[in-house]
Amino acid sequence: MTAAASAASRDEGNVRTAHALPTDAAHALRTDARGTDHARRTDAPVSPSDAEPLSPARLPFGGQTWKEIAFLLLNLPVAVFGFTYVVTCVSVSAGLTVTVLGLPLLAGCLLGARLLGRLERARVGGLLGVRVPEPSPLAVLRGRDRRAARRLWLVLRDPVGWRALLYFFIRLPWGIFTFCTVLTSLFVLWPVLSFIARGLTNVDRALARGLLSPSDELERRIAELESDRGVVVDTAAADLRRIERDLHDGAQARLVNLAMELGLAKEKLLEDPETAARMVDDAHGEVKTALRELRDLARGIHPAVLTDRGLDAALSSIAARCTVPVTVTTDLPTRPAPAIEGIAYYTASELLQNISKHSRAHHATVDLWRTDDRLMLQVRDDGTGGATASPGGGLHGLTERLGAVDGLLLIDSPPGGPTTITAELPWRDRMA
């Protein structure tokens, strides 16, 4: 039998055997036959163009982990520079305090610490992804009186600069520890380096938030004081313009007219004494009118009854001028500070004027009392209601004026009435 016939006979036998075997065994036999045939085909040489491309190389950690590692490695040079700056500035400034150079040098060091804190906040934000808010800049004093001394004192008492100095002073041991830990872990603790970096940078995040972040309460208070100062300045300017307008249009014009009439009466004194006498009599009436206007103007600036007798008598005085019957009740054991007393008086005066002009009320009450460290003023009327503190209105101006001294104005005025407006002021004792 030839070789070809023998091979054919074997293949035919295999086929019959495969048909005779169970299904799983036949599948295994066919798989083995394909594997043997593939092995024979792979013995042939493979060209370089047929080879599969290699996958690109990848870093073992993500981008944020490498940023944290870079931050920790930079901790040492940053900490060395910051510690050297703090120790040098404070020691030299302390040594020169016996001279005139010590305090100005310390102020300059605090300003430099502010700048270093800004750079450190930028490093924390760029590498650790933590946004630390910037503190408010130092206020610039515009006064001319002792301007340099006041600015120096403002810088010396800057809490942001002192906290920045403390931050860089305590960073040196921590910077050495983090640098050595990360550098060692790059070679020894590579599998867990990401966890180590995350734990160490969490401490850095806490330090930055604690010492380089401004106090929310302090920033809010500074913003309120700056806003209140602007309100006080605007109110004072408006009062000055009102006084100037009243003087120019009222008393000043009347006094000019009086001077002209007296001049004419002087010319007619010899020629026509009777006419001159009538002109002098008219001038006398003008003088009385001018005095009354000046008295009213002075009462508007600061009423004499408030200075002499206090809020009880002053409120009774303005209540008597109101077109609506007003009942005044006061319960004050002592008089408050003049500034608080004046604001309470003008608040009650403004509210009673609103009642006269707009409320259509039949009766009103004014209650004044002290509770703990607050002065309470409540004005109530049975009018039509609907009072609101709309921008540009009188109640809005009262709200701003009270807010300038940490006071409040509460308005309860539903349509149809009644209206109850409560002013709350801080109590300050009158200095003896």
Side-chain angles (χ1 to χ4, degrees):
M1 184 179 295
T2 63
S6 177
S9 176
R10 285 197 303 271
D11 291 340
E12 183 180 358
N14 288 337
V15 171
R16 288 196 301 269
T17 305
H19 284 292
L21 291 174
T23 304
D24 293 341
H27 176 71
L29 183 60
R30 287 194 298 269
T31 302
D32 182 68
R34 286 197 301 269
T36 303
D37 182 63
H38 175 71
R40 286 197 301 267
R41 289 197 303 271
T42 54
D43 290 339
V46 180
S47 62
S49 59
D50 297 334
E52 295 182 359
L54 297 176
S55 60
R58 295 181 179 178
L59 295 174
F61 304 130
Q64 182 58 40
T65 301
W66 283 110
K67 288 182 179 180
E68 293 175 350
I69 293 172
F71 183 90
L72 294 172
L73 293 177
L74 289 174
N75 270 353
L76 181 59
V78 171
V80 170
F81 176 80
F83 183 83
T84 304
Y85 175 84
V86 173
V87 172
T88 303
C89 290
V90 173
S91 58
V92 174
S93 301
L96 293 177
T97 51
V98 295
T99 67
V100 296
L101 299 178
L103 294 180
L105 181 59
L106 180 58
C109 294
L110 291 173
L111 293 176
R114 263 183 168 261
L115 178 60
L116 292 179
R118 181 183 302 175
L119 297 177
E120 184 68 6
R121 283 188 291 271
R123 187 172 78 101
V124 171
L127 295 179
L128 299 186
V130 176
R131 182 186 176 275
V132 181
E134 291 287 337
S136 299
L138 288 174
V140 178
L141 299 178
R142 297 181 175 87
R144 296 181 180 178
D145 185 23
R146 300 178 59 190
R147 181 177 180 180
R150 294 177 65 187
R151 288 193 175 192
L152 177 63
W153 174 245
L154 180 65
V155 175
L156 289 177
R157 60 191 296 268
D158 176 29
V160 176
W162 285 108
R163 284 190 282 117
L165 286 180
L166 177 62
Y167 176 85
F168 288 105
F169 180 76
I170 65 176
R171 290 284 295 178
L172 182 60
W174 176 251
I176 296 174
F177 173 75
T178 56
F179 179 83
C180 296
T181 301
V182 173
L183 190 62
T184 304
S185 301
L186 283 171
F187 301 99
V188 179
L189 301 175
W190 181 267
V192 294
L193 178 57
S194 61
F195 300 100
I196 296 175
R198 180 58 53 85
L200 295 177
T201 52
N202 283 338
V203 177
D204 283 294
R205 292 182 178 94
L207 286 174
R209 290 193 184 100
L211 295 177
L212 298 181
S213 176
S215 171
D216 293 339
E217 182 64 22
L218 179 61
E219 291 295 306
R220 184 190 64 81
R221 184 59 180 162
I222 290 175
E224 287 183 355
L225 291 177
E226 290 178 349
S227 176
D228 293 344
R229 181 181 61 186
V231 171
V232 171
V233 172
D234 294 341
T235 302
D239 291 340
L240 289 176
R241 289 193 299 269
R242 178 182 58 82
I243 295 171
E244 181 183 6
R245 184 177 62 252
D246 293 341
L247 286 174
H248 182 272
D249 297 340
Q252 181 179 352
R254 196 171 296 278
L255 289 175
V256 170
N257 188 28
L258 173 63
M260 294 175 62
E261 289 186 359
L262 289 176
L264 293 175
K266 182 179 178 181
E267 293 178 357
K268 292 183 176 294
L269 183 60
L270 298 177
E271 300 176 0
D272 190 358
E274 294 182 359
T275 303
R278 288 195 302 270
M279 295 179 67
V280 170
D281 187 61
D282 294 339
H284 184 257
E286 289 289 332
V287 169
K288 291 182 178 180
T289 305
L291 287 176
R292 185 170 59 253
E293 290 180 354
L294 288 174
R295 190 181 299 112
D296 293 339
L297 181 61
R299 185 185 295 114
I301 297 174
H302 194 81
V305 65
L306 178 63
T307 303
D308 298 336
R309 301 173 58 187
L311 277 172
D312 190 0
L315 293 181
S316 299
S317 175
I318 59 176
R321 298 195 300 267
C322 184
T323 58
V324 176
V326 180
T327 302
V328 178
T329 304
T330 59
D331 183 14
L332 296 180
T334 58
R335 293 179 62 179
I340 301 301
E341 201 172 52
I343 294 176
Y345 171 82
Y346 289 117
T347 300
S349 178
E350 181 73 20
L351 294 177
L352 289 179
Q353 287 182 16
N354 289 342
I355 291 176
S356 299
K357 296 177 181 178
H358 311 295
S359 69
R360 299 179 184 176
H362 301 287
H363 186 264
T365 59
V366 177
D367 296 317
L368 184 70
W369 73 96
R370 177 185 177 181
T371 173
D372 297 331
D373 59 344
R374 310 294 284 182
L375 176 65
M376 309 297 294
L377 172 68
Q378 187 175 84
V379 179
R380 179 184 174 89
D381 68 80
D382 57 357
T384 57
T388 58
S390 57
L395 292 180
H396 182 73
L398 283 180
T399 303
E400 292 183 340
R401 177 172 290 190
L402 292 174
V405 292
D406 291 339
L408 295 173
L409 186 71
L410 305 177
I411 303 173
D412 182 15
S413 181
T419 297
T420 302
I421 299 179
T422 305
E424 181 179 340
L425 291 164
W427 179 273
R428 296 173 188 169
D429 292 325
R430 177 180 291 266
M431 300 298 294

